Every structure is written in structure tokens, then in C-alpha cells.
């Protein structure tokens, strides 16, 4: 049984804990994610089924220290050969807890100390050192420093993913969206949308992230479906220990092949007119259409239309409405957006009776412009912006 940490954006920890529980033996919430214990096969299944985790780290080595100069010798005491070879490259990221930040001001220096310990150990056995690569390393290690009574605890973990799990592979080339894929999935999970029963309408679909995540959930399709199809490797596949595990490697390859084949089949059987997307920008419509096309969805699977959210009339009588309007990050934006938020609320009030409405925003002043009573305010973080998913009962 190994120990792991699944990271996620702040505010999603409770949802991630519930998602992870069926796959693991023990689990608990940590800062920015979930700690859990599981065997290898359960963890690998989790890697291609989690909609919420950003990355999954395997805990390798833990030690206590009083002086940072002792870090290299503690790190060197561990045998790193199962996780990095002399031909590999590595990157270390150091995370300090509140107590750690009071004493240690330079996390880059801490990372260098851990790097020295790993590389010196490999050199003592193989005669040469692996190289450091900050942009695109073969392996990424995480060094967490936590304060304890009269000392600090250092924990070294290795990233199993390589490319973040939240990178589903459906984004059109060269396009950056303001909403991460796993955050979009979390918003849908935090709502009361039932994919088997409810129609979903995204009134400001933008680049189509919420639409794409909703489609994967409705079709019960693995979020790693495209990654498996494109054969984008997970970094643990390059670990020396894994390359020697022929039986586990064969099972993993079959698991990925099955995930992609099932995804393709379910796309072919995808129900029509259960998810709708609207936006008043032609560019957004184009990007959304490309996003859905990359997933393999046709126009009738997720109809898109050029409509303004403030005048939109729903194509069905009941369901779930959601939108993610601009937050107003620049000075002067709030005044311009106040009318937009007010008119969103008025349109929900007048044209969406029988729906449950959700507005995701990172601006507490703008949300007050919606003249409707909220029945829930679910906190999330979109990067460094504290946000709320607001729920409205539209009777």
C-alpha cells in the first residue's frame, strides 16, 4: 500500500475526497488536495477516471531536520534508482507550509538542496548525475516542508502524471481559457444537475469548457479519453521500476486502450439535445464548436447558437442554467459589467421559470446586482481569485 496526494484547485477538496473514496483504502483532506492510501492498480484507474484532480503524487521519502544544510544527506539516504535514471531529467518544486515560510524564504534554494541529494545518490551508484530541466523534465518531484515541534518535516513525492490531468486534450491549439477543465467539472458536480434527467444550458459558453465537461459526464466518458487515444504518456511510465513490471505494464496498456475504445463508442451513441450552448460572440462560438469537434461531438449533440444571455429564451421548459460571466478584473470593468449582471438576473427571473440557475463569479460587488435571492453560495478559487457558485431557485 502506497501513500499519495491528489492535488486540486482550492475549494474542490471535499468534492475530490468523495470522488476518490471508491478507489482507495484511506483518505483525508489536505491543503490543496486529498491524501490517500491505495495499491498501484487502484491508483492507475484513478488517473484515467478522476475529473477533479490536477495531479497525483506518490510519497517516496520523509525525514525530519533542524537545519536546511542537512537536507542533502537525508535525501541521499533514499535509493532513488527506481524513479530516475541517469538519462532522465528532473525538476524539484518546494512547497512551504505556514511555519516553513517563517524560517525559510528561498524555496528555490531548498529545491536545489533536494536536487543535490538525489543527484549525488545516483552518481555514487552509476558514476554520473541526471540533469536538471525546468521546462519539460522527464520527472518532477515535490518537496513539502511542514513545521513540527522544534524541527521540520520534509516530504519528497514524485509526480505520476507529467502533463496535468486537467489537460483533457480538447482545447483548440493556441487557445487559453479562463476556466480550468477540472474546475468546470467541479462546478457541475457542485450544482444539482443530474445528467440522466436534466437539460443543461450554458448561457455564456465562451470556449466551451463547461459544455465539454458536461458532455463527458453525460456520456460517462473517461476524462482521459483523448489522452489515451493520442497515447500521451504519464510520467510514471518512464520510471525504471515500472519498465520492469511487465504484467502491470500490459494491464495498464489494456486499461488505456479500453478507455479510448469505450469513449469512442459512447461518443457514437451520444444523446441529442441534452446540452445547449449560447454566446453573443462569434469568436466564442467558433472556439466552442472546435472544442466539441475535437471531442468527436456533432452539432446536434450539443447545439450552439449566437444569443445574448440577457435576452435568451430557453429552448426547453425546465432544466439547469449555468453561466460564468466576466468578473471585472481591471479598474472600470465593474461599472461596465454591473448592467450585464443585473440583466442576467432579470432574464432568469422572466424567462427561466422552472429552471435552477447557477452563476459563477469572482466579484462580490457584481453578484449583488443580480436581483434574485440565492439559495446557495459555494466557494471556489479560480487561480488566485476567490469565487462563488451562486444558486437561484427560479419559480
Amino acid at each position: 500500500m502506497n501513500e499519495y496526494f491528489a492535488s486540486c484547485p482550492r475549494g474542490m477538496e471535499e468534492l475530490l475526497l468523495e470522488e476518490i473514496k471508491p478507489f482507495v483504502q484511506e483518505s483525508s483532506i489536505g491543503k490543496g488536495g486529498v491524501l490517500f492510501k491505495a495499491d498501484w492498480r487502484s491508483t492507475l484507474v484513478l488517473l484515467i477516471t478522476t475529473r477533479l484532480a490536477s495531479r497525483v503524487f506518490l510519497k517516496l521519502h520523509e525525514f525530519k531536520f533542524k537545519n536546511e544544510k542537512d537536507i542533502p544527506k537525508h535525501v541521499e539516504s533514499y535509493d532513488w534508482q527506481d524513479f530516475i535514471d541517469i538519462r532522465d531529467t528532473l525538476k524539484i518544486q518546494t512547497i512551504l507550509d505556514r511555519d516553513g515560510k517563517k524560517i525559510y524564504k528561498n524555496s528555490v534554494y531548498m529545491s536545489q538542496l533536494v536536487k543535490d541529494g538525489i543527484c549525488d545518490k545516483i552518481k555514487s551508484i552509476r558514476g554520473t548525475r541526471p540533469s536538471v530541466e525546468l521546462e519539460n523534465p522527464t520527472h518532477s518531484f515535490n518537496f513539502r516542508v511542514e513545521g513540527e515541534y522544534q524541527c521540520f518535516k520534509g516530504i519528497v513525492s514524485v509526480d505520476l502524471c507529467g502533463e496535468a490531468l486537467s489537460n483533457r486534450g480538447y482545447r483548440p491549439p493556441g487557445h487559453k481559457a479562463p476556466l480550468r477543465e477540472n474546475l468546470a467539472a467541479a462546478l457541475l458536480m457542485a450544482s444539482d444537475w443530474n445528467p440522466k434527467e436534466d437539460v443543461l444550458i450554458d448561457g455564456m459558453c465562451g470556449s466551451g469548457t463547461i459544455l465539454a465537461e458536461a458532455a463527458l459526464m453525460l456520456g460517462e466518458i473517461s476524462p482521459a479519453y483523448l489522452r489515451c487515444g493520442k497515447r500521451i504518456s504519464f510520467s510514471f511510465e518512464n520510471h525504471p521500476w515500472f519498465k520492469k513490471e511487465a504484467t502491470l505494464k500490459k494491464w495498464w496498456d489494456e486499461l488505456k486502450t479500453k478507455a479510448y475504445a469505450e469513449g469512442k463508442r459512447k461518443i457514437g451513441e451520444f444523446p441529442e439535445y441534452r446540452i445547449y450552448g449560447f454566446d453573443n460572440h462569434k469568436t466564442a462560438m467558433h472556439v466552442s464548436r472546435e472544442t466539441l469537434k475535437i471531442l468527436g461531438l456533432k452539432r446536434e449533440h450539443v447545439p450552439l447558437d449566437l444569443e445574448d444571455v440577457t435576452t435568451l429564451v430557453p429552448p426547453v421548459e425546465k432544466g439547469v442554467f449555468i453561466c460564468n460571466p466576466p468578473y471585472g478584473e481591471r479598474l472600470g470593468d465593474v461599472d461596465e459589467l454591473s448592467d450585464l449582471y443585473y440583466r442576467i438576473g432579470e432574464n432568469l427571473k422572466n424567462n427561466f421559470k422552472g429552471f435552477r440557475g447557477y452563476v459563477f463569479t469572482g466579484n462580490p460587488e457584481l453578484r449583488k446586482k443580480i436581483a434574485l435571492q440565492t439559495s446557495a453560495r459555494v466557494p471556489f478559487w479560480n487561480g488566485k481569485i476567490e469565487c462563488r457558485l451562486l444558486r437561484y431557485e427560479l419559480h
Side-chain angles (χ1 to χ4, degrees):
M1 195 78 65
N2 296 314
E3 295 183 43
Y4 303 88
F5 179 75
S7 65
C8 66
R10 290 169 62 187
M12 288 170 48
E13 293 89 348
E14 289 280 358
L15 289 170
L16 179 57
L17 178 65
E18 292 305 311
E19 183 189 47
I20 280 180
K21 279 182 178 179
F23 300 93
V24 306
Q25 299 297 317
E26 299 177 26
S27 57
S28 61
I29 290 178
K31 185 176 181 180
V34 172
L35 301 155
F36 67 95
K37 292 182 180 180
D39 58 40
W40 266 115
R41 294 200 177 197
S42 298
T43 303
L44 299 191
V45 171
L46 177 65
L47 287 180
I48 63 169
T49 55
T50 176
R51 302 185 189 279
L52 302 179
S54 299
R55 295 183 179 276
V56 175
F57 297 87
L58 168 65
K59 179 180 174 182
L60 298 180
H61 187 39
E62 179 179 313
F63 57 88
K64 294 183 179 181
F65 65 95
K66 292 184 177 181
N67 190 306
E68 72 269 23
K69 294 181 180 179
D70 295 329
I71 291 175
K73 71 177 182 182
H74 286 296
V75 174
E76 196 173 347
S77 69
Y78 185 80
D79 186 358
W80 300 95
Q81 291 185 94
D82 281 342
F83 298 96
I84 188 166
D85 191 49
I86 56 175
R87 293 178 296 273
D88 294 330
T89 57
L90 75 157
K91 175 183 176 180
I92 315 291
Q93 181 182 21
T94 295
I95 299 174
L96 305 167
D97 74 354
R98 185 178 301 175
D99 292 327
K101 289 178 180 177
K102 292 178 182 178
I103 303 298
Y104 302 113
K105 307 301 181 183
N106 191 340
S107 63
V108 174
Y109 176 60
M110 306 285 277
S111 295
Q112 290 172 341
L113 295 174
V114 175
K115 179 265 298 179
D116 289 342
I118 294 175
C119 291
D120 287 348
K121 179 69 173 188
I122 297 296
K123 184 178 180 180
S124 70
I125 300 170
R126 303 292 299 277
T128 188
R129 298 158 58 100
S131 302
V132 173
E133 171 57 60
L134 300 181
E135 294 300 321
N136 190 28
T138 310
H139 304 301
S140 293
F141 293 86
N142 183 292
F143 181 52
R144 180 168 177 82
V145 177
E146 299 178 354
E148 293 200 341
Y149 179 66
Q150 293 186 337
C151 69
F152 289 92
K153 179 169 67 177
I155 303 169
V156 184
S157 304
V158 63
D159 172 37
L160 302 180
C161 305
E163 187 168 347
L165 298 175
S166 54
N167 295 345
R168 315 287 201 222
Y170 56 64
R171 291 231 188 272
H175 178 76
K176 282 190 174 183
L179 199 64
R180 296 295 305 178
E181 295 91 329
N182 55 344
L183 177 54
L187 299 181
L188 292 167
M189 290 183 181
S191 75
D192 68 340
W193 176 55
N194 184 337
K196 295 181 179 179
E197 298 179 2
D198 296 321
V199 168
L200 180 75
I201 294 176
D202 185 347
M204 300 183 75
C205 62
S207 61
T209 307
I210 290 177
L211 297 178
E213 292 301 314
L216 291 172
M217 292 168 68
L218 173 59
E220 297 181 343
I221 298 166
S222 164
Y225 141 70
L226 288 177
R227 182 170 182 164
C228 292
K230 295 177 181 177
R231 301 199 175 279
I232 299 173
S233 66
F234 293 74
S235 59
F236 79 87
E237 296 177 48
N238 295 313
H239 289 165
W241 75 266
F242 183 75
K243 293 177 180 179
K244 293 182 286 188
E245 294 285 341
T247 301
L248 183 62
K249 187 177 184 301
K250 181 175 182 292
W251 174 86
W252 169 244
D253 289 340
E254 291 172 350
L255 184 68
K256 290 192 295 180
T257 299
K258 181 181 178 182
Y260 179 65
E262 286 189 351
K264 289 284 287 184
R265 177 181 61 80
K266 289 175 178 178
I267 288 290
E269 301 170 354
F270 200 85
E272 299 177 0
Y273 305 108
R274 296 284 301 281
I275 302 172
Y276 294 83
F278 299 92
D279 206 291
N280 65 348
H281 292 283
K282 289 183 179 180
T283 301
M285 284 284 95
H286 174 73
V287 176
S288 286
R289 178 51 60 202
E290 284 299 306
T291 294
L292 298 171
K293 185 178 179 181
I294 292 170
L295 269 181
L297 295 170
K298 298 178 180 178
R299 292 179 181 271
E300 59 269 23
H301 291 148
V302 183
L304 301 178
D305 210 345
L306 196 65
E307 295 279 355
D308 193 310
V309 67
T310 64
T311 56
L312 172 64
V313 177
V316 293
E317 293 183 355
K318 61 180 181 178
V320 172
F321 170 92
I322 190 168
C323 73
N324 175 31
Y327 307 157
E329 297 176 18
R330 295 183 298 273
L331 191 64
D333 283 352
V334 173
D335 291 338
E336 295 179 17
L337 292 172
S338 293
D339 184 59
L340 170 64
Y341 275 70
Y342 172 77
R343 292 172 65 197
I344 288 173
E346 293 306 293
N347 195 42
L348 290 178
K349 189 188 307 180
N350 296 326
N351 288 323
F352 282 81
K353 290 182 174 66
F355 277 73
R356 288 100 70 199
Y358 292 88
V359 176
F360 183 62
T361 181
N363 192 310
E365 293 303 314
L366 287 173
R367 77 182 185 215
K368 295 176 184 177
K369 304 300 180 180
I370 299 176
L372 291 167
Q373 182 68 39
T374 56
S375 58
R377 300 179 184 182
V378 185
F380 288 101
W381 286 79
N382 188 3
K384 296 181 179 180
I385 303 174
E386 186 175 2
C387 302
R388 293 291 185 274
L389 178 65
L390 310 172
R391 172 172 169 160
Y392 302 96
E393 308 296 338
L394 305 172
H395 301 299

